[in-house]
Amino acid sequence: MKYLVTTGALILLASGIFAQEKLPVTLPYNPQNIRELYIDAANHHTAFKPILHVDTSAMYTVTDTTKRSWFHRKLFQEHLLEYRHQDYNVFIDFLPDFQVGKSRDGSRTTWINTRGAIIQGNIGTKFYFESSFFENQGKFPYYLDQYIRKNDIVPGQGGIKDYSEGKAFDFNYANALLSYTPNKYLNVTAGYGQNFIGDGYRSLLLSDITFSYPYLKLTGALGSVQYTAMWAQFMDKHSKTFASAYDDLGYYKKWGVFHFLDWNVSKKLTIGLFDAVIWPDADSSGRKRGFDWSYMNPIIFLRSAEFSEGSSDNALVGANAKFKLFPKTTLYGQLLFDELKVKEVLKGNGWWANKQSWQLGFRTFDLANVKNLDLQGEYNAVRPYTYSYKSTLINYEHYNQSLAHPLGANFQEVLGIATYRYKRWYGRGELMYAMYGDDPDEAANYGHDISKPYTTRVKDYGVYIGQGERTNMLYAQGTIAYVLNPKYNLRIETSLAARRVNNDAGKNTDLIFNIGLRSTFRQFYYDF
């Protein structure tokens, strides 16, 4: 994959250098501004994120004629370093995340010490780039600490090293994006980061909850149709348990190809079709396979290509839809099939290999005519063993995290999120309830942990959501922030979260308080 990304980057750079035209510029939306796409009377393609758009203000703006001190401008208005020109712009920012807090009964002090930096820029109207890097140390609430030690990863942020005599963790991560838009019909993006498919808070098709990965993405638009083909490389951290000569090259790699066809059927209805195939870079004996060039075919629904190769690669298909019920209220949903046999579904006997997931939700904006008061509600369900496979070399996972939902499989979830913005003030409240079937011990496999091979399943029939050790989880969080600088979302933020998990084995409760100085637009998912 590194050859694809490197080649793509060189093409983009060479093309952009000579694109000395005037603005507008194609660049990614600020995630906080995506709400405007749902409110707009036009029907936009909103499912595949990050969303690129043509913007005339975010990159090149008229200088503020009001005299301000350098400190005032840098703290409240501008990027740390700005190089503006009619043909190019470069912005550089320092991205801190300094937090301190308490968890459980107040006996555990938690903290985050992050020093990050980002560079963004455009050359002409067609070429946009950004790159960021973060160096971190942190001590987390008890439930996250357990998760990190078990999975050897901070959720969404990379592998760990012990810090402070094993009481905390040292970790780092980076993201990058190179975008070239030669015309209004095509965009080519090479990146190292995350992608998201869907209109909800969660995605059951492809989520951004994981650590960064390299990818190459082609997006074409014609009329009311947008089509995206993406190739990516993932890592299997479980592979270090295999004994082979391949271990000398690091973790086993696996490859993925994704296609998404998004059709604006009308001003109110959008339907998207999705497919993905995951295949291993090498098998457990160390036999190298590498990138399978037969999957360079950019056409959706590659199951036939996979079958013609005599392959047992992991294929998934699904759909995404949204419907604008009212001007400021949108319904959305997803459906994914990992495996499906209609005959077994009609029998209704809970065959294990009917592996599906589904989502239904709504988003409403300016609730009760209160400007910037938004509400979102969502239901997600995933049957046992969905996203799992015979081996972690080919399951729907990257760096010990699911490529879909953080709860894995064998669960139902209901959540609600309310947000409110007033000038530079921001408030957010979340309430989430989930029921899942956990494994009573490591040897059992009731389909919740997608890293366990489905060949170790407990039974073939009578497989339903909640089987195993039935577990109830309640998570609530409230956040208040004052945005100092909207250019890179620098803010003073405080939050209070409560988490309760109970099953036959007992009950665990966390109360977590945090306060700090934070920045960046990326969201981390700790609500699981």
Side-chain angles (χ1 to χ4, degrees), residues 86 198 207 237 240 319 334 368 473 475 493 507:
Q86 194 70 13
S207 183
K237 288 202 71 174
K240 278 296 186 181
Q334 290 186 333
M473 181 177 69
Y475 182 92
E493 179 181 291
K507 181 171 69 175

Side-chain angles (χ1 to χ4, degrees), residues 10-178:
L10 291 174
I11 293 173
L12 300 182
L13 182 59
S15 302
I17 288 175
F18 297 102
Q20 301 295 309
E21 303 174 25
K22 294 185 178 181
L23 299 180
V25 178
T26 300
L27 71 164
Y29 264 106
N30 175 329
Q32 292 183 355
N33 293 335
I34 290 178
R35 70 186 299 275
E36 304 302 327
L37 297 179
Y38 291 92
I39 298 174
D40 197 325
N43 196 359
H44 298 275
H45 297 285
T46 56
F48 210 127
K49 302 174 181 71
I51 301 172
L52 299 177
H53 73 123
V54 175
D55 183 85
T56 60
S57 61
M59 303 302 288
Y60 184 87
T61 57
V62 178
T63 303
D64 187 358
T65 56
T66 304
K67 287 189 176 182
R68 309 280 191 182
S69 70
W70 181 91
F71 181 79
H72 182 279
R73 287 186 288 108
K74 296 306 176 183
L75 182 60
F76 295 108
Q77 292 179 305
E78 298 178 354
H79 297 279
L80 179 61
L81 297 175
E82 296 189 352
Y83 302 94
R84 295 183 182 273
H85 190 271
Q86 194 70 13
D87 295 322
Y88 64 85
N89 299 276
V90 178
F91 306 130
I92 301 174
D93 290 302
F94 172 65
L95 303 178
D97 192 351
F98 305 136
Q99 298 182 63
V100 64
K102 290 283 188 179
S103 72
R104 300 201 85 170
D105 57 0
S107 61
R108 183 180 180 89
T109 299
T110 62
W111 50 270
I112 291 288
N113 177 13
T114 293
R115 291 85 60 210
I118 184 171
I119 180 171
Q120 303 167 276
N122 73 286
I123 303 174
T125 66
K126 300 178 180 180
F127 176 63
Y128 170 83
F129 66 90
E130 66 178 51
S131 180
S132 59
F133 176 80
F134 301 85
E135 175 64 32
N136 320 264
Q137 290 83 38
K139 184 177 180 180
F140 293 87
Y142 183 68
Y143 82 97
L144 278 176
D145 185 90
Q146 286 187 311
Y147 177 92
I148 293 167
R149 294 183 189 278
K150 177 182 177 182
N151 295 282
D152 196 33
I153 183 174
V154 178
Q157 298 166 80
I160 59 171
K161 295 185 292 184
D162 279 341
Y163 182 79
S164 185
E165 299 179 344
K167 298 177 183 178
F169 305 104
D170 188 306
F171 56 101
N172 60 70
Y173 65 98
N175 292 305
L177 183 145
L178 301 169

Side-chain angles (χ1 to χ4, degrees), residues 484-500:
L484 297 171
N485 192 324
K487 292 291 187 182
Y488 52 100
N489 202 21
L490 180 68
R491 62 202 185 274
I492 299 172
E493 179 181 291
T494 183
S495 67
L496 181 65
R499 180 181 182 271
R500 185 181 68 186

